[in-house]
Amino acid sequence: MVDDALLVAERFFRAVETGDTDEVARVYAPDARIWHNFSQAEQTVEENLKVLRWMARKLPGRRYDVLRRVVIPGGFMQQHVVRGTLADGSAFAMPACVVCLVENGRIVRLEEYLDPAQAAVLSA
């Protein structure tokens, strides 16, 4: 189970980083739910893929600097900093944390914690 959760984490974040939303969709269970601390609302997989596609357009060439990735009961937790270059050439860096529950090699729930003020820079 430990190796499975870490393999899922690696596969998922590699796909997010490269903008491969087809692969992200394969890592998610079809009925997975994605929750964010700033909205307190859950998204469906398709709603989340839409956000990830938008992010890929807003922050091309982004990378995830992983600070910590650990196995937790039922899944994994990852702290990272999303980095990239904005359209105006300025550097973007946003710390975040995700907690994922994994079943049968797929993410069934993802909870993301980030500062919405930092994320808002992408909408400008």
Side-chain angles (χ1 to χ4, degrees):
M1 179 60 174
V2 170
D3 289 339
D4 290 346
L6 294 179
L7 289 173
V8 169
E10 180 61 32
R11 185 175 162 210
F12 178 78
F13 280 100
R14 186 178 328 112
V16 171
E17 189 173 59
T18 62
D20 186 350
T21 54
D22 290 337
E23 178 66 5
V24 171
R26 286 188 287 272
V27 177
Y28 278 137
D31 59 347
R33 291 294 176 257
I34 298 87
W35 175 90
H36 299 95
N37 69 302
F38 54 86
S39 66
Q40 300 285 309
E42 290 185 347
Q43 291 180 321
T44 64
V45 170
E46 192 51 47
E47 289 167 333
N48 185 250
L49 294 175
K50 191 174 179 180
V51 171
L52 292 175
R53 288 181 195 109
W54 172 84
M55 189 172 159
R57 288 190 306 274
K58 287 293 195 174
L59 197 63
R62 77 204 150 284
R63 69 183 188 282
Y64 286 70
D65 291 341
V66 178
L67 305 175
R68 182 168 54 150
R69 180 185 287 164
V70 296
V71 173
I72 60 170
F76 67 92
M77 183 279 303
Q78 176 174 302
Q79 283 180 287
H80 57 257
V81 178
V82 182
R83 297 187 189 278
T85 304
L86 299 171
D88 67 2
S90 62
F92 176 82
M94 180 179 65
C97 179
V98 295
V99 177
C100 292
L101 298 180
V102 175
E103 292 178 6
N104 300 315
R106 299 176 91 178
I107 294 172
V108 296
R109 182 168 182 81
L110 181 148
E111 297 177 353
E112 183 174 42
Y113 300 85
L114 55 84
D115 179 354
Q118 289 177 308
V121 171
L122 294 173
S123 296

